Amino acid sequence: MTNDSPLKYQQLRVVIVGHVDHGKSTLIGRLLYDTDSLPEGKFEELQKISKKRGAEAIEWSFVLDAMQAERDQAVTIDTTQIWFSTEARDYVIIDAPGHREFLKNMISGAAAADAAVLVVDATEGVREQTRRHAYLLHLLGLRQVAVVINKMDMVEYDAERFTQVSREVESYLSSIGLHASHIVPISARHGDMIAQRSEHMDWYKGKALTAVLDSFEVAMPPVAQPLRFPIQDVYHQDKKRYIVGRVETGILRKGDKLMFSPTGEEATVTSLAVWPHDENKVEARAGESIGITLDDKIFVERGHVGSHVKNPPMLSNVFRANIFWLADRPMKVGNSYKVRYGTQESTVSVQSIERVIDTQDLAQSGEAGEVKRNAVAEITLRARELLPLDPYIDNSRMGRLVLYDGHDVAGGGTISMEGYADQRRAEKPVAQNIYQVESLTSYEARARQNRHYGAVFWFTGLSGAGKSTLAIAVERALFERGYHTYVLDGDNVRHGLNSDLGFSPEDRAENIRRIGEVAALMADAGNICVTAFISPYREDRDRARKASPARFHEIYVKADLATCEGRDPKGLYKKARGGQIKEFTGIDSPYEPPENPEMVVDTQNNDVETCVQQVIDYIEAQIVVKEDSKAVAG
């Protein structure tokens, strides 16, 4: 590689991690020396310090100590950045003093690293922090990972020991879905296999560390991804209104029609502004900070996300996150925290903690009530308002989040929308120029004739909880008592009305939306509509309620997963456990129990007859028209 290489104009950001005392600082110092990147006079200073401290040889870790001391005299910074160069290109090492600071910086400052070097001591092998740091790399989506087995001089450059530790590392990385591109035996203290090959390890045929780093790719500016323009601020200057922010992904051009989420308001870009002024500026690419003017004075504010109309971010008030918890105070279900991603800040509450993972042995505890310090967890968060969200898997720049407990960074991780639907589709009807028609027969008139009110009794619960069994028995009992009633069952409607829908989160949301509208019409027609749908998402049930809010009764058919799985009347749980059914509620797709249902029927602890009678009693108390009621008198 020559100095004229295109790579020379690239800068690779590398984070170096590893268990304490495995030689991370020594490696960084040696890297600077071997690549001739030490500041002038620093080597001589290092010799003096090492001699003064009684060290037999140069202690390369003193390089970082000296740099840190210089920084401490200036200003405190979160992320330490150290530059070095090879013949191929320039590098930035993202480092942080101390384990706790490192974890914070990995989540906030160092999230943009292109590659990572995991340092493992040849004498000790994989240790606790090795596992934690590796899991964090996995959590943050870093895929270019090199492992260095350090202190090979301490094991007499033994090839068998290198193989043994390499297998241990590979086994752990494989178990968390991470793959090391290269595993390099090194001695940072003596410079073996750092920038040059080592005569001590002629049995190793792979690349030295700097050659490995040179083989990594710099993440290209994500201009090919959908446009994301998080708004930083709104300025008013020279009687113009500038929407200011940084283009995180995609390309923004003058004349583009933008949609701003979560409001969904749209406007066209009339100009791009940069300072100093450039009247020829008509395009901004990912990574550029700009101001734009719009042809319409729509409402936008900090945190809103501009996108092209065709491919906006998802909207949801509930989402999943894979997080690493840093705070002393454990995260608990029900607690509220501030979440930040892009320029968006919002308050969220912890709806559930699905899984806590011990990074030491990767043991998983399901349905845990709290996440303790330094633990990794899969959680579900809920906000009061709709948030513009990009899953990390789709957009790594927008898909990372930081959680604050008060003013302190408490944790961070990545956003996942697995199991949850984009709620944007349900926000407004597609059809235009539609007008409601008033019937000449009122709801009250139908009630007088039927001698009961129409209503919706919405059964929700896990598969196997007994919804259909109850609904059919209740329908029969009501019919025999002279009521107009009908059951809308999950399987039945999918044979007709919703036969075009699958079981993706989006299709399940649409399924419930349609049923909610149909049930509302049936209630308006004077019928007692009993529905039996898992309807796993609280948001979907709330939307079904909105179709007929005064006549909607949510009935939670309660039985826990173990009970339902034990019943398994259709054999669906068995298939889901066997991988034949994906996204099955309770197994690999969430179920959100009602928070304040009108009624709870406990089918786990009561027999069918008891439950049916409880429901009948409740329904009759709600729908019977009393003789002196206004409906009858009117």
Side-chain angles (χ1 to χ4, degrees):
M1 197 69 67
T2 69
N3 285 336
D4 296 328
S5 167
L7 288 180
K8 194 62 182 175
Y9 302 101
Q10 300 177 345
Q11 188 180 68
L12 192 87
R13 295 167 61 86
V14 182
V15 62
I16 298 183
V17 299
H19 192 84
V20 64
D21 292 334
H22 277 202
K24 182 167 64 73
S25 297
T26 302
L27 171 60
I28 294 173
R30 188 75 202 203
L31 255 178
L32 297 183
Y33 175 71
D34 284 2
T35 57
D36 199 22
S37 303
L38 279 175
E40 187 175 349
K42 187 63 67 179
F43 178 71
E44 291 74 16
E45 181 185 339
L46 200 60
Q47 284 181 311
K48 291 180 181 177
I49 295 174
S50 299
K51 187 176 181 180
K52 186 177 180 181
R53 296 188 183 183
E56 295 179 359
I58 290 179
E59 287 289 348
W60 299 105
S61 62
F62 292 168
V63 173
L64 289 188
D65 294 344
M67 287 183 170
Q68 187 59 49
E70 292 170 2
R71 273 189 293 271
D72 288 345
Q73 292 173 13
V75 62
T76 301
I77 56 175
D78 285 338
T79 301
T80 302
Q81 297 191 341
I82 302 164
W83 283 263
F84 74 96
S85 299
T86 65
E87 289 187 359
R89 64 180 166 204
D90 298 331
Y91 289 88
V92 178
I93 296 175
I94 303 165
D95 182 40
H99 178 63
R100 183 182 174 83
E101 290 303 313
F102 157 69
L103 292 172
K104 283 185 179 179
N105 292 341
M106 276 297 289
I107 288 170
S108 53
D114 300 300
V117 176
L118 178 64
V119 183
V120 182
D121 189 323
T123 64
E124 296 188 347
V126 173
R127 300 295 296 273
E128 177 187 351
Q129 287 178 20
T130 312
R131 296 187 178 94
R132 284 186 174 156
H133 292 183
Y135 200 93
L136 200 58
L137 299 179
H138 162 68
L139 200 68
L140 294 174
L142 280 170
R143 293 295 175 262
Q144 297 188 115
V145 178
V147 175
V148 291
I149 309 298
N150 190 25
K151 302 186 184 180
M152 286 301 296
D153 54 307
M154 303 288 285
V155 296
E156 299 179 348
Y157 301 102
D158 182 48
E160 290 188 12
R161 178 58 184 165
F162 170 73
T163 302
Q164 186 181 11
V165 177
S166 296
R167 286 176 178 167
E168 186 184 8
V169 175
E170 285 180 314
S171 175
Y172 180 79
L173 296 184
S174 175
S175 68
I176 60 174
L178 203 60
H179 172 70
S181 306
H182 302 268
I183 300 181
V184 185
I186 67 168
S187 168
R189 184 181 179 87
H190 299 292
D192 295 297
M193 287 294 179
I194 303 296
Q196 304 293 331
R197 297 195 58 79
S198 168
E199 61 182 16
H200 298 115
M201 293 182 281
D202 55 0
W203 44 264
Y204 172 71
K205 303 302 181 188
K207 297 176 178 176
L209 177 58
T210 54
V212 168
L213 294 177
D214 287 345
S215 71
F216 285 157
E217 296 179 354
V218 175
M220 298 298 289
V223 293
Q225 289 186 290
L227 173 67
R228 295 293 182 265
F229 178 57
I231 295 176
Q232 184 79 29
D233 209 339
V234 179
Y235 294 163
H236 294 272
Q237 194 176 78
D238 300 331
K239 298 182 179 180
K240 288 187 176 180
R241 182 171 177 251
Y242 294 99
I243 316 299
V244 178
R246 185 173 69 179
V247 179
E248 291 294 340
T249 57
I251 303 174
L252 191 159
R253 295 185 176 90
K254 179 182 177 181
D256 282 355
K257 188 171 187 178
L258 301 187
M259 171 188 285
F260 290 88
S261 298
T263 60
E265 294 203 65
E266 299 175 8
T268 299
V269 179
T270 53
S271 69
L272 272 65
V274 290
W275 293 269
H277 179 65
D278 179 2
E279 62 181 11
N280 296 319
K281 185 73 173 175
V282 294
E283 176 184 291
R285 296 186 166 227
E288 288 189 61
S289 294
I290 55 162
I292 61 172
T293 59
L294 302 173
D295 68 342
D296 194 1
K297 198 172 182 180
I298 60 174
F299 169 68
V300 291
E301 62 180 1
R302 178 183 171 88
H304 288 187
V305 178
S307 67
H308 290 132
V309 176
K310 279 186 175 179
N311 204 340
M314 298 175 75
L315 283 184
S316 181
N317 64 342
V318 59
F319 59 98
R320 286 177 159 179
N322 300 315
I323 60 110
F324 198 103
W325 193 244
L326 300 168
D328 293 332
R329 199 162 67 117
M331 167 184 274
K332 294 185 177 181
V333 172
N335 283 3
S336 294
Y337 302 98
K338 184 171 71 177
V339 64
R340 189 179 73 190
Y341 60 91
T343 58
Q344 176 72 45
E345 287 188 0
S346 183
T347 299
V348 294
S349 60
V350 181
Q351 176 173 297
S352 60
I353 298 170
E354 280 81 22
R355 191 172 293 111
V356 177
I357 301 163
D358 186 332
T359 51
Q360 176 72 2
D361 57 8
L362 290 185
Q364 299 182 6
S365 55
E367 300 181 358
E370 65 177 31
V371 183
K372 294 181 180 176
R373 184 170 178 262
N374 289 341
V376 175
E378 297 176 12
I379 63 173
T380 298
L381 298 170
R382 180 172 287 273
R384 286 181 175 274
E385 69 280 19
L386 287 175
L387 301 176
L389 295 162
D390 277 303
Y392 176 79
I393 195 171
D394 293 340
N395 189 318
S396 61
R397 288 178 181 253
M398 298 294 291
R400 287 176 168 138
L401 59 79
V402 179
L403 291 163
Y404 292 84
D405 190 1
H407 296 291
D408 299 326
V409 173
T414 57
I415 295 170
S416 166
M417 290 303 296
E418 184 181 352
Y420 287 99
D422 185 356
Q423 296 176 29
R424 185 185 298 276
R425 187 168 64 173
E427 285 303 295
K428 59 182 181 181
V430 176
Q432 303 295 322
N433 302 317
I434 52 177
Y435 306 93
Q436 283 194 322
V437 175
E438 294 293 334
S439 172
L440 295 177
T441 305
S442 68
Y443 170 74
E444 287 75 15
R446 296 178 199 277
R448 285 197 300 273
Q449 187 173 71
N450 294 337
R451 304 198 66 77
H452 67 80
Y453 294 103
V456 177
F457 296 91
W458 190 280
F459 289 12
T460 176
L462 290 167
S463 177
K467 298 180 299 300
S468 294
T469 302
L470 270 182
I472 292 169
V474 166
E475 179 195 34
R476 186 65 191 176
L478 289 173
F479 179 79
E480 290 175 348
R481 297 183 189 196
Y483 298 110
H484 297 273
T485 182
Y486 192 76
V487 168
L488 291 175
D489 181 80
D491 284 354
N492 291 353
V493 297
R494 281 185 176 274
H495 280 93
L497 175 67
N498 292 343
S499 60
D500 60 324
L501 300 177
F503 289 90
S504 68
E506 288 75 16
D507 281 354
R508 298 182 84 158
E510 175 61 11
N511 181 53
I512 297 305
R513 188 195 69 80
R514 293 183 191 178
I515 299 303
E517 295 293 337
V518 170
L521 290 173
M522 295 183 75
D524 191 54
N527 289 308
I528 301 166
C529 182
V530 179
T531 75
F533 298 91
I534 296 172
S535 44
Y537 308 118
R538 204 171 292 154
E539 187 68 25
D540 293 341
R541 299 195 297 269
D542 289 345
R543 190 173 295 116
R545 181 188 290 272
K546 287 179 183 175
S548 183
R551 303 161 196 168
F552 189 93
H553 303 258
E554 188 175 38
I555 298 179
Y556 179 27
V557 183
K558 185 179 180 182
D560 63 23
L561 179 62
T563 301
C564 295
E565 196 165 357
R567 293 170 179 166
D568 203 10
K570 302 173 184 174
L572 300 178
Y573 283 103
K574 186 178 180 181
K575 290 182 179 178
R577 292 289 187 191
Q580 299 176 49
I581 301 178
K582 300 295 183 185
E583 298 180 337
F584 192 78
T585 301
I587 303 298
D588 53 1
S589 187
Y591 176 76
E592 301 173 356
E595 289 184 313
N596 296 296
E598 275 76 10
M599 182 185 186
V600 177
V601 187
D602 186 350
T603 63
Q604 185 172 328
N605 296 304
N606 296 311
D607 59 30
V608 174
E609 291 73 21
T610 301
C611 293
V612 169
Q613 189 57 54
Q614 289 173 341
V615 175
I616 292 292
D617 291 345
Y618 175 80
I619 290 179
E620 286 198 310
Q622 308 303 317
I623 53 92
V624 171
V625 175
K626 296 181 175 61
E627 292 299 327
D628 59 349
S629 71
K630 289 184 179 179
V632 175

